[in-house]
Amino acid sequence: MTPAPAAPASAAARPAQLTVLDLTATSIDLTRQICDMESVSGNETALADAIVAALAGLDHLEIIRDGDTVVARTNLGRAQRVVIAGHIDTVPLNDNLPTRYETIDGTEYLWGRGTVDMKAGVAVQLKLAAELTDPGVDVTWMWYDHEEVSDDLNGLGRLARNRPDLFAGDFAILGEPTRSQVEGGCNGNLRVEIRTFGLRSHSARSWVGENAIHKAAPILNILAGYEAREVEVEGLVYREGLNAVGITGGVAGNIIPDECMVHVNYRFAPSRSGDEAVAHLRELFAGYDLTVVDRAEGARPGLDAPLAREFLAAVGGVATPKYGWTDVARFSALGVPAVNYGPGDPLKAHADDERVAVAEITACEKGLRDWLSASVR
Amino acid sequence: MTPAPAAPASAAARPAQLTVLDLTATSIDLTRQICDMESVSGNETALADAIVAALAGLDHLEIIRDGDTVVARTNLGRAQRVVIAGHIDTVPLNDNLPTRYETIDGTEYLWGRGTVDMKAGVAVQLKLAAELTDPGVDVTWMWYDHEEVSDDLNGLGRLARNRPDLFAGDFAILGEPTRSQVEGGCNGNLRVEIRTFGLRSHSARSWVGENAIHKAAPILNILAGYEAREVEVEGLVYREGLNAVGITGGVAGNIIPDECMVHVNYRFAPSRSGDEAVAHLRELFAGYDLTVVDRAEGARPGLDAPLAREFLAAVGGVATPKYGWTDVARFSALGVPAVNYGPGDPLKAHADDERVAVAEITACEKGLRDWLSASVR
């Protein structure tokens, strides 16, 4: 783990191994601090520890911990409650830490893993959680682990199973990258493994065997020729995608392979259920062995909720669809309308040159701060 | 390692960890002894040790060791010398050791890894090396390691580099499985890696990336549609083969892959040189990134050599082509005509149900014994 820069003076009093977050820093500097704490999925404990330590002693927040997920909430007796959440893990590094600042065509960026997906959003949330002691609505902040991996590991999903009571709310905001614009709903996400089978033989007498890799050619042809749909849902147009994300086959350099597996990822519009998505793939790949390995429902935009309309009016701009699957679907499934709102260009999420325009961090902080600070509702 | 059965009485005098081979057993029992000593490529030392120990003290043989390759030769001053060779390694196990006898449709088989490829041939050679103290030609016996893996590891190739003098001879016989019939020459063997490249992106926004696995579809189409040639060389018809033996691609379940690799194996008739084989694949896969990873020349039948004609007449039957690449090509390259002759159905080599008809072991022993025991030539 790279130590966070700019540890405050009180650092000497804490255990040596605990990195100290300075929540009084700007949200830009705070983004840098938590990005430089590597927290690839499965390695979030140090960051979760640091978040708990940074919030400890703030009288307006009740802190609840579940594994490496941290919940902090106000209990001010407001008429309405908003849940604001963000994941603290990232995809694996690719030589893109520690962070650095860079200026491209006059725009200043913070570069590095996690800057977009989604530690800038988390930094804004942490800062506001500490500073907004008297918001106009009660707020439940959630920072959770294991978002970038298989659905069954997702920290927000685990929290929903362990403490469904914490999800009570009138509206939810997820800090996934949206360039600090409101993005509604999300596509569903399905992963399947499609297998072909053959018969092993020595490759010197290949006519005795049956080549399972050759049999996968039609699967790749279907994928390469597939035209993904664009689907309008409640006024927003969702773009789908169907892709091989992995392929594997082969025993040895002199053996005709008896099995080949194509790992396929289908991102589907929220007008389609998970069951319908599976049925679509079963039809498309009829006759092949197909196993569902991961499935997450999409979420409709949810922009007709009163607090959603009010929030959209407060932060301005035009709502657009969210292409990527996000945990808004989890709130949606629990009956809580939810939108995505966070700094960063989603096209840079998971990219080797992941980088966030620092102005978007500031804009997101201002949007959330102004709306949450408005008079009691 | 499974201990060999039927250790002779002198076993107690030897180091406990050394398995003792009984060369006075029948060639069938001896096959079983050495098959039950697992010797997957890279793990031949114990078997090589046992061979050296079994031959030690036989006055008519000079023993030379090079790594896990053992050479034993007579020096009787005969006018002609024959080299007889076999590899002592096998492909990996697949729950097919220890060996067992089984009878199918009235034919008795010895079942298990190595019975066909090619410990039955090695067993016959070991027994004859020990017993034929006064053959009609001088004989150089060679038992070598690492035949079933990459060409650069091959023990016979290493011996040819370290001790080319040992390869002097008028004719060579390789004990690869031929159902105890003479098979001439062998196909060449080429392995290449063909790569496609794309652009990584998050799979939720796949239109931003370029899918390298989808780009591999035309490669699989070429392979699946390829019609392998049958080529006549010196009267024997060689059958070729072009196959994917491996495929790999993918980064993670939510990332558009930027690279895919298809591992291709081309078995080509001995009328074609290795260079010509590479040129053929470069033409077939024009425009793709292609890297040669393993290449071995084929061998013409070599049946016009006087000793070859005499051997064929002595053991009877009709010569046929050898499809698989074998080390006869190494003798061929050194100017020594060479044929394949050994027990076992080559279609069962590397198969999970690898098994040799025990009658073929006896036939091979008789064929070699009779020919080698004939009057001094």
Side-chain angles (χ1 to χ4, degrees):
Chain A
M1 189 178 70
T2 308
S10 64
R14 298 185 185 279
Q17 64 273 38
L18 184 62
T19 300
V20 178
L21 297 177
D22 177 11
L23 302 189
T24 68
T26 66
S27 48
I28 298 166
D29 283 346
L30 186 55
T31 300
R32 188 166 199 190
Q33 288 178 50
I34 64 175
C35 285
D36 286 338
M37 293 181 70
E38 179 263 293
S39 61
V40 173
S41 309
N43 195 32
E44 300 95 335
T45 304
L47 180 52
D49 287 348
I51 290 171
V52 169
L55 298 175
L58 295 176
D59 289 343
H60 67 291
L61 293 177
E62 175 194 7
I63 309 295
I64 299 125
R65 180 148 180 181
D66 181 282
D68 287 331
T69 290
V70 180
V71 178
R73 64 175 176 181
T74 63
N75 294 302
L76 303 167
R78 302 292 191 245
Q80 298 188 92
R81 177 176 289 277
V82 174
V83 184
I84 305 181
H87 66 84
I88 63 173
D89 61 320
T90 71
V91 293
L93 308 192
N94 198 358
D95 280 332
N96 49 9
L97 276 189
T99 54
R100 62 170 186 257
Y101 289 107
E102 52 184 32
T103 302
I104 301 174
D105 296 336
T107 302
E108 191 178 12
Y109 292 92
L110 179 62
W111 172 100
R113 177 61 77 229
T115 51
V116 169
D117 193 7
M118 55 166 281
K119 290 182 170 178
V122 168
V124 165
Q125 294 171 2
L126 282 171
K127 185 171 177 63
L128 294 179
E131 294 184 0
L132 297 183
T133 55
D134 190 34
V137 288
D138 267 313
V139 185
T140 304
W141 306 93
M142 295 178 171
W143 299 289
Y144 59 100
D145 56 286
H146 284 97
E147 193 271 346
E148 296 289 5
V149 286
S150 189
D151 188 59
D152 56 328
L153 295 174
N154 186 294
L156 200 67
R158 186 184 66 241
L159 191 68
R161 291 190 296 274
N162 293 346
R163 293 292 307 272
D165 57 298
L166 295 176
F167 287 73
D170 303 285
F171 181 49
I173 299 169
L174 196 64
E176 289 281 353
T178 62
R179 292 175 165 269
S180 298
Q181 302 293 315
V182 176
E183 293 189 3
C186 69
N187 275 331
N189 187 20
L190 174 64
R191 284 190 297 115
V192 301
E193 292 179 348
I194 304 176
R195 284 184 171 74
T196 54
F197 301 98
L199 184 66
R200 257 187 226 198
S201 77
H202 194 296
S203 66
R205 291 166 290 275
S206 50
W207 51 92
V208 180
E210 252 182 84
N211 195 313
I213 295 176
H214 295 191
K215 287 185 177 180
I219 298 172
L220 297 195
N221 288 333
I222 290 167
L223 289 167
Y226 187 81
E227 292 197 19
R229 302 188 308 165
E230 298 195 351
V231 184
E232 186 173 326
V233 183
E234 297 172 13
L236 301 185
V237 177
Y238 291 83
R239 190 165 176 181
E240 299 193 331
L242 180 67
N243 278 276
V245 288
I247 188 167
T248 178
V251 181
N254 57 359
I255 296 183
I256 299 302
D258 56 352
E259 186 171 334
C260 181
M261 188 275 281
V262 187
H263 185 182
V264 171
N265 183 212
Y266 179 35
R267 305 285 181 146
F268 55 95
S271 55
R272 189 165 256 181
S273 71
D275 281 344
E276 289 166 344
V278 171
H280 178 57
L281 295 199
R282 287 204 187 279
E283 187 184 351
L284 204 54
F285 298 102
Y288 290 97
D289 180 274
L290 187 152
T291 307
V292 174
V293 291
D294 196 22
R295 179 163 97 159
E297 300 287 336
R300 287 179 166 265
L303 289 170
D304 45 1
L307 270 180
R309 283 203 296 264
E310 187 196 285
F311 176 66
L312 184 57
V315 302
V318 176
T320 55
K322 186 71 177 170
Y323 293 127
W325 188 90
T326 77
D327 280 309
V328 294
R330 242 175 265 281
F331 291 102
S332 182
L334 291 168
V336 183
V339 298
N340 302 280
Y341 178 71
D345 179 351
L347 296 181
K348 290 292 182 195
H350 301 197
D352 292 347
D353 63 342
E354 183 171 350
R355 59 173 180 247
V356 63
V358 298
E360 291 178 16
I361 305 178
T362 312
C364 177
E365 181 188 339
K366 183 175 188 316
L368 275 178
R369 183 190 293 274
D370 290 353
W371 182 61
L372 291 171
S373 304
S375 58
V376 174
R377 284 154 279 181
Chain B
M1 187 178 68
T2 308
S10 64
R14 300 184 186 276
Q17 65 272 40
L18 183 62
T19 300
V20 177
L21 298 178
D22 177 9
L23 303 190
T24 68
T26 66
S27 48
I28 298 166
D29 284 346
L30 186 54
T31 300
R32 188 166 197 189
Q33 288 178 48
I34 63 175
C35 285
D36 285 340
M37 295 182 69
E38 179 262 292
S39 61
V40 172
S41 309
N43 196 32
E44 301 95 333
T45 304
L47 181 52
D49 288 348
I51 290 172
V52 168
L55 298 175
L58 296 177
D59 289 341
H60 67 292
L61 292 175
E62 175 195 6
I63 308 295
I64 299 126
R65 179 150 179 180
D66 180 284
D68 288 332
T69 289
V70 180
V71 178
R73 63 176 176 181
T74 63
N75 294 301
L76 302 168
R78 301 290 191 246
Q80 298 189 92
R81 177 176 289 277
V82 174
V83 184
I84 304 181
H87 66 84
I88 62 172
D89 61 321
T90 72
V91 294
L93 307 193
N94 197 358
D95 281 331
N96 49 8
L97 275 189
T99 55
R100 62 172 185 255
Y101 289 107
E102 52 184 32
T103 301
I104 302 174
D105 294 337
T107 302
E108 190 179 12
Y109 293 92
L110 179 63
W111 173 98
R113 177 60 78 228
T115 51
V116 169
D117 194 6
M118 55 168 282
K119 290 182 171 179
V122 167
V124 166
Q125 294 171 2
L126 281 171
K127 184 170 177 63
L128 295 179
E131 294 184 0
L132 298 182
T133 56
D134 190 34
V137 289
D138 267 313
V139 184
T140 304
W141 306 93
M142 293 178 171
W143 300 289
Y144 58 99
D145 56 287
H146 283 96
E147 194 270 349
E148 296 290 5
V149 286
S150 188
D151 186 59
D152 56 327
L153 295 174
N154 186 292
L156 201 65
R158 188 185 63 240
L159 191 68
R161 290 189 297 274
N162 293 346
R163 294 292 306 270
D165 57 298
L166 295 176
F167 287 72
D170 302 286
F171 182 49
I173 299 169
L174 196 65
E176 290 281 355
T178 62
R179 292 174 166 272
S180 299
Q181 302 295 314
V182 176
E183 294 189 1
C186 70
N187 274 331
N189 187 20
L190 174 65
R191 285 191 296 114
V192 301
E193 292 179 349
I194 305 176
R195 286 184 169 74
T196 54
F197 301 98
L199 184 67
R200 256 187 225 199
S201 77
H202 195 296
S203 66
R205 291 165 292 275
S206 51
W207 51 91
V208 179
E210 252 180 82
N211 196 313
I213 295 175
H214 296 191
K215 287 185 178 182
I219 297 172
L220 297 195
N221 288 333
I222 290 168
L223 289 167
Y226 187 81
E227 293 197 19
R229 301 189 306 164
E230 298 194 352
V231 184
E232 187 175 324
V233 182
E234 297 172 13
L236 302 184
V237 176
Y238 290 84
R239 191 163 174 182
E240 300 193 330
L242 180 68
N243 279 275
V245 289
I247 188 166
T248 177
V251 181
N254 57 0
I255 296 183
I256 300 302
D258 56 352
E259 186 171 334
C260 182
M261 189 275 282
V262 187
H263 185 181
V264 171
N265 184 212
Y266 179 35
R267 305 285 180 148
F268 54 97
S271 55
R272 189 165 255 181
S273 70
D275 281 345
E276 288 166 346
V278 171
H280 178 58
L281 295 199
R282 287 204 186 281
E283 187 185 349
L284 204 55
F285 298 103
Y288 291 97
D289 180 275
L290 187 153
T291 307
V292 174
V293 291
D294 196 20
R295 179 163 97 160
E297 301 287 336
R300 288 180 166 264
L303 290 170
D304 44 2
L307 272 178
R309 284 202 296 263
E310 187 196 286
F311 176 66
L312 184 58
V315 301
V318 176
T320 54
K322 186 71 177 170
Y323 294 128
W325 188 90
T326 76
D327 281 309
V328 292
R330 243 174 264 283
F331 291 103
S332 180
L334 291 168
V336 183
V339 298
N340 302 279
Y341 178 72
D345 180 350
L347 296 180
K348 289 294 182 193
H350 302 197
D352 291 348
D353 63 343
E354 183 171 349
R355 60 174 180 245
V356 63
V358 298
E360 291 178 16
I361 305 178
T362 312
C364 177
E365 181 189 340
K366 182 175 188 316
L368 275 178
R369 184 190 293 274
D370 290 353
W371 183 61
L372 291 171
S373 304
S375 58
V376 174
R377 285 153 281 182

